[in-house]
Amino acid sequence: MSLLVLLAGCASHQPDEDSSARPDTEAVFPVTIGSVTIDRQPTRIVSLSPSATETLFALGAGPHVVAVDSQSDYPPEAPHTALSALSPDPEAIAGYRPDLVIASADTNGLSAALAKTGVQTLVMPDAKTLDDAYAEFVELGKATGHQAEGESLARQTHSDIDKIVADTPKPAKPLSFYYELDQTYYSVTSKTFIGQVLARFGLTNIADGNDPSVSGGYPQLSAERILQANPDLVFLADSKCCGQNAQTVAARPGWNTLTAVKDGQVFALDDDIASRWSPRVVELVRAVADAVTRVNHAG
């Protein structure tokens, strides 16, 4: 008999007695997020989204998180597991006896499979803008009984980012940049979440070309195009995964001629922070601000 069937009764029970997390008695339920109505405060949450995991802990729902996917590596106290977010296994997820599963996509009919066990799945799509990220903070807070904390987190993150951008010196001349996702030159345009973060600083994205919507905002550039564009700054989002840094970039054929390389304006980012729409986006904004400030001072 399928484990899903065996676990069906478990998931529809009252919160497990062995859960160490205590419900927030001030939380108001039911709440509706999109098409999902959550009747009572979840006390056994499985997160299949690194961004959602970081947000859950930031707003105080961490004690209710019983498992996170293999890519959710922050914060350190998150209950790390081998669960896959890219190819989720409903039976493996149900084994953690969740009363709420949070995912960034409904991959392979995940929500329908879990629904057979009585488990609800809340899908929080990838943020396209900073406003999307703020909205997700609020919705995750609402879904977990931490609505006030979610609203506060959104306001504070919004305020912090606005202040960092406002305090960053404006370039004396327009600055262009190349944002590297991997060593095959996949990049981001201004139509993506990351692209919009960098756009706050008035930088010109060489990946935009004539159509920032091309390839869903994640075009693969050629080395020739990057060399021809000659960006003033290079941001590396493949430093942790792939060991890229200013030295490895300078060693690529012809890249030592780039303004960014010659002027020491190649900046390695934390790959994880640079790819998530969690509250740590403030750290990404600060890293970009530091880079722009450094270029301004050098000029």
Side-chain angles (χ1 to χ4, degrees):
M1 182 180 293
S2 168
L3 177 60
L4 285 175
V5 176
L6 289 171
L7 291 168
C10 297
S12 60
H13 288 167
Q14 293 296 319
D16 294 90
E17 295 179 358
D18 61 351
S19 172
S20 60
R22 296 183 63 81
D24 180 349
T25 55
E26 296 182 356
V28 177
F29 284 86
V31 297
T32 299
I33 312 294
S35 61
V36 176
T37 297
I38 302 170
D39 291 328
R40 58 177 177 270
Q41 185 177 23
T43 58
R44 294 187 65 84
I45 302 169
V46 170
S47 173
L48 301 177
S49 163
S51 295
T53 298
E54 295 188 15
T55 303
L56 289 169
F57 277 82
L59 56 79
H64 294 165
V65 178
V66 296
V68 301
D69 70 284
S70 60
Q71 299 300 309
S72 288
D73 55 5
Y74 187 90
E77 63 268 30
H80 192 76
T81 75
L83 290 175
S84 171
L86 296 177
S87 182
D89 179 345
E91 290 192 5
I93 295 167
Y96 289 94
R97 295 173 294 161
D99 50 12
L100 180 66
V101 172
I102 298 171
S104 60
D106 193 10
T107 306
N108 299 329
L110 175 65
S111 61
L114 288 175
K116 295 176 182 176
T117 74
V119 178
Q120 289 184 303
T121 302
L122 183 60
V123 176
M124 309 295 290
D126 296 357
K128 305 297 186 203
T129 66
L130 281 168
D131 285 342
D132 288 345
Y134 304 146
E136 184 163 309
F137 299 167
V138 174
E139 290 181 340
L140 284 175
K142 185 178 178 183
T144 60
H146 295 270
Q147 182 166 350
E149 292 90 339
E151 292 170 351
S152 176
L153 183 63
R155 284 195 302 272
Q156 187 62 53
T157 304
H158 194 162
S159 175
D160 289 347
I161 289 175
D162 284 353
K163 184 175 191 314
I164 292 170
V165 172
D167 289 347
T168 302
K170 301 299 178 287
K173 63 172 186 176
L175 297 174
S176 62
F177 73 93
Y178 162 58
Y179 189 95
E180 179 166 291
L181 292 177
D182 67 15
Q183 296 169 74
T184 64
Y185 312 134
Y186 274 98
S187 189
V188 299
T189 73
S190 298
K191 288 293 186 181
T192 66
F193 173 75
I194 298 300
Q196 293 201 3
V197 169
L198 274 79
R200 292 290 307 272
F201 293 91
L203 305 176
T204 300
N205 190 341
I206 70 164
D208 281 355
N210 295 323
D211 181 11
S213 298
V214 66
S215 301
Y218 296 92
Q220 183 180 27
L221 309 184
S222 65
E224 292 74 17
R225 177 175 167 182
I226 297 167
L227 291 171
Q228 184 176 21
N230 190 25
D232 297 297
L233 303 93
V234 171
F235 293 102
L236 302 172
D238 53 358
S239 59
K240 289 173 63 178
C241 71
C242 314
Q244 295 305 291
N245 53 46
Q247 290 71 38
T248 61
V249 168
R252 298 173 185 173
W255 285 56
N256 60 344
T257 64
L258 292 179
T259 296
V261 173
K262 290 191 295 185
D263 293 350
Q265 293 163 185
V266 177
F267 302 97
L269 303 173
D270 182 304
D271 305 8
D272 295 333
I273 294 174
S275 63
R276 299 173 186 175
W277 51 98
S278 75
R280 288 203 295 169
V281 67
V282 173
E283 297 181 37
L284 172 62
V285 172
R286 187 170 290 113
V288 176
D290 289 345
V292 173
T293 300
R294 178 173 159 182
V295 173
N296 280 337
H297 287 167

